[in-house]
Amino acid sequence: MFKLKLFILLIFIFSTSFVENKYSRNQIDNLIASTDEQLHSNKINDVLKNSDIILKSSESIGYDRGILYGNLYLGMAAYMNDNKPKLIEYGFLTESLARQENDSYALAYSLLIKSKIYKSAELYDEALKYVNLALEACDDIKIKDRQHFVRGKCMVYKTICLYYFGATNKKLLELNLQAMKELEKAGKPFNYDYNYVNIATTYENLNKPDSAEYYYHKSLACSVGPAAKGLIYLNLAALAYDSGKLDDALNYNNKSLNILLDSNVNGFYLISGNYELFMNIYKKLGIPEKVKENEKLFIYHQKKDADKDSFFKKKLLIKLIDKAEKEQNEFEKKARKKTTGYISIIIIFVVVLTGLIFIYIKESKKNKHNQEIIKNKRQKLLELNNKVNDAFAEVLELAKKDDPAFITRFKEVYLPFYTQLTSQYPTLNIGQIRFCCLLYLNFSTKEIAHYHHMTIKGVQTKKTRLRKQLNIASDVDLNKWMMELL
């Protein structure tokens, strides 16, 4: 009688589980296919909605492919919305999942996401490395239209990375045109938008405004998101301004600003550019009250942008996030394997030994506990990001104001660096230590001179003396040397 009750309980638990899971593996695969089309059509809201369903449904039944694509699409949506926190959250997760599933298509996209993360942190060597790895992964994609499409996307982004390495406009244009050919082979015309923008920008740098304007308008004819559309109209406004067409510049700039404000995209850097351009236009038009009004708005959004994005420019934080995400990936992988193993044992031996139901219940509870631990780790990581961001912003503001409290607060936030510097070089005086702290925060020569009321030559002299005292070669970047002292 007791065994019969256990058997009935087991059947009830499994039947309840299947009722709660509304999506089977086949249904999840179908949803992945439709979400892929939405991604390629830039329907970001639909992608976000479906990604959440794919991820939750796949996690509830332990479907690894669904877990991979749920995270991948969330990462790609963050990529297209320029949502850096979400980009980091999913960027380091999807690469290991794609390699585990041996999925070249997902791997190429995940490597492209990682390239975007490092580019956002101004680590251009790493950004170029990962976009090249993404291009290599494209060679193993079996479906040809997907291969051409992802390769085209990667080549578009590679031109952006190469721009920071001083590639010639001719080289950038050549690579953009190659990317266009790949996208044409894929038969996805609605995804030419960013490629058109890159081509337009390159023509603008080559002093060919007519060609630039032509490609900006071609990009607007594609299915572009609000951030891209806002950028394109801003570029058209700047192009019109440089050509002396002030009425057109005002019109385009108004369109750009309205789109960005209405859509609430992650584009403060664009909005500050809108107000700066308004300021310059009204200067030429001779309307001082409008100049003053837009100058205030420009300063406000420029500061908002600096406060928002400053911590992404710190190599230390990227390393911290990288380490935390790798630990989280390993934890999730072990928990998933252990849970899947126990479920398989229960299914195989349930008829022979119904007593294994107790193990199943125990492991289910354990899995729930593991999920809570994972959730807590994610929350702690988010809190850590916010704390580092706030502390950096505070130290940065004290440095800019040349506040006497700067060195005290810097020591509290960056104690390991401060201790290493002073113990390794005990002969440094307080002024030299303060100067080293500014270099560690990645202040340029021009910024140090501006905020600390010095001449650029004076700053350069201090750098030369510091090199001699610390025995640093003249070809070594001082800022980088300080950041890598630990």
Side-chain angles (χ1 to χ4, degrees), residues 11-24:
I11 293 173
F12 173 75
I13 289 171
F14 273 95
S15 63
T16 304
S17 174
F18 287 122
V19 169
E20 289 177 352
N21 296 329
K22 297 178 181 178
Y23 292 85
S24 66

Side-chain angles (χ1 to χ4, degrees), residues 319-332:
K319 286 182 178 178
L320 182 65
I321 293 171
D322 192 8
K323 181 181 177 183
E325 289 292 347
K326 284 178 181 176
E327 290 175 352
Q328 180 178 306
N329 289 343
E330 286 301 314
F331 188 88
E332 289 176 342

Side-chain angles (χ1 to χ4, degrees), residues 399 402 431-432 434-440 442-468 477-479 482:
D402 199 13
Q432 291 169 322
R434 188 182 185 89
F435 190 73
C436 290
C437 293
L438 293 172
L439 296 175
Y440 180 81
N442 208 21
F443 274 70
S444 66
T445 299
K446 187 177 178 181
E447 287 172 332
I448 294 173
H450 174 72
Y451 290 119
H452 294 267
H453 312 295
M454 301 171 64
T455 63
I456 289 177
K457 187 175 181 180
V459 177
Q460 290 170 339
T461 301
K462 287 193 76 168
K463 282 188 174 182
T464 302
R465 290 173 182 166
L466 189 63
R467 284 181 187 277
K468 289 181 181 178
D477 187 311
L478 265 180
N479 295 51
M482 291 295 172

Side-chain angles (χ1 to χ4, degrees), residues 74-133:
L74 286 168
M76 285 304 297
Y79 173 94
M80 297 173 79
N81 278 335
D82 198 31
N83 187 331
K84 294 184 180 69
K86 288 294 181 186
L87 201 62
I88 290 172
E89 181 179 348
Y90 297 108
F92 292 96
L93 177 66
T94 49
E95 183 188 356
S96 59
L97 291 173
R99 292 189 186 280
Q100 182 182 321
E101 288 293 298
N102 197 27
D103 190 321
S104 299
Y105 176 66
L107 179 61
Y109 261 141
S110 65
L111 291 167
L112 184 61
I113 291 171
K114 287 190 78 169
S115 178
K116 170 81 170 179
I117 291 171
Y118 283 110
K119 186 260 179 185
S120 298
E122 297 183 5
L123 300 172
Y124 302 118
D125 288 333
E126 292 293 304
L128 189 59
K129 167 189 166 184
Y130 279 103
V131 79
N132 282 331
L133 287 172

Side-chain angles (χ1 to χ4, degrees), residues 17-18 21 23-25 28 56-63:
S17 174
F18 287 122
N21 296 329
Y23 292 85
S24 66
R25 292 190 175 204
I28 290 172
K56 287 179 179 177
S57 300
S58 299
E59 284 178 340
S60 68
I61 62 173
Y63 185 31

Side-chain angles (χ1 to χ4, degrees), residues 30-89:
N30 290 335
L31 194 55
I32 287 172
S34 62
T35 306
D36 205 57
E37 286 300 315
Q38 289 162 352
L39 178 69
H40 295 164
S41 303
N42 291 328
K43 296 176 180 177
I44 305 304
N45 290 334
D46 292 334
V47 171
L48 285 169
K49 180 183 175 182
N50 286 349
S51 300
D52 191 54
I53 295 171
I54 291 169
L55 187 57
K56 287 179 179 177
S57 300
S58 299
E59 284 178 340
S60 68
I61 62 173
Y63 185 31
D64 288 346
R65 183 173 185 269
I67 292 170
L68 163 62
Y69 275 90
N71 281 290
L72 177 67
Y73 292 142
L74 286 168
M76 285 304 297
Y79 173 94
M80 297 173 79
N81 278 335
D82 198 31
N83 187 331
K84 294 184 180 69
K86 288 294 181 186
L87 201 62
I88 290 172
E89 181 179 348

Side-chain angles (χ1 to χ4, degrees), residues 148-316:
H148 292 306
F149 177 72
V150 183
R151 184 183 285 136
K153 282 287 188 184
C154 290
M155 290 173 74
V156 170
Y157 200 72
K158 185 174 180 177
T159 63
I160 298 172
C161 295
L162 288 175
Y163 170 81
Y164 292 98
F165 283 91
T168 64
N169 288 311
K170 184 178 178 182
K171 174 67 177 176
L172 296 177
L173 184 60
E174 179 185 331
L175 191 57
N176 270 311
L177 292 173
Q178 288 176 7
M180 178 64 72
K181 288 181 181 178
E182 291 292 333
L183 292 170
E184 286 173 348
K185 288 178 184 177
K188 306 281 186 185
F190 38 74
N191 266 285
Y192 297 170
D193 48 3
Y194 292 108
N195 191 230
Y196 284 144
V197 171
N198 281 353
I199 292 172
T201 304
T202 308
Y203 274 124
E204 194 172 347
N205 293 335
L206 288 167
N207 292 320
K208 296 183 177 179
D210 291 340
S211 297
E213 186 176 4
Y214 171 77
Y215 277 101
Y216 280 137
H217 282 293
K218 282 184 76 71
S219 65
L220 285 172
C222 300
S223 176
V224 296
K229 192 167 286 188
L231 171 62
I232 294 164
Y233 275 122
L234 179 57
N235 285 346
L236 280 168
L239 197 64
Y241 173 81
D242 291 338
S243 302
K245 301 173 182 177
L246 300 185
D247 287 340
D248 287 345
L250 277 173
N251 181 39
Y252 286 135
N253 208 28
N254 272 313
K255 284 184 179 180
S256 171
L257 183 60
N258 289 335
I259 290 168
L260 295 172
L261 292 175
D262 289 345
S263 56
N264 195 29
V265 295
N266 251 343
F268 294 115
Y269 64 98
L270 294 176
I271 293 172
S272 64
N274 288 129
Y275 288 119
E276 184 179 24
L277 186 56
F278 273 134
M279 194 170 63
N280 292 330
I281 293 170
Y282 286 121
K283 276 182 185 176
K284 281 199 172 184
L285 290 172
I287 309 175
E289 62 273 14
K290 285 285 187 180
V291 173
K292 200 168 185 180
E293 175 189 333
N294 283 281
E295 185 177 15
K296 287 180 181 178
L297 289 165
F298 165 64
I299 293 169
Y300 167 77
H301 282 283
Q302 190 181 46
K303 184 179 184 301
K304 195 172 183 180
D305 176 36
D307 291 343
K308 179 178 178 294
D309 283 341
S310 58
F311 79 97
F312 287 102
K313 298 174 183 177
K314 290 291 127 187
K315 189 174 182 179
L316 182 64

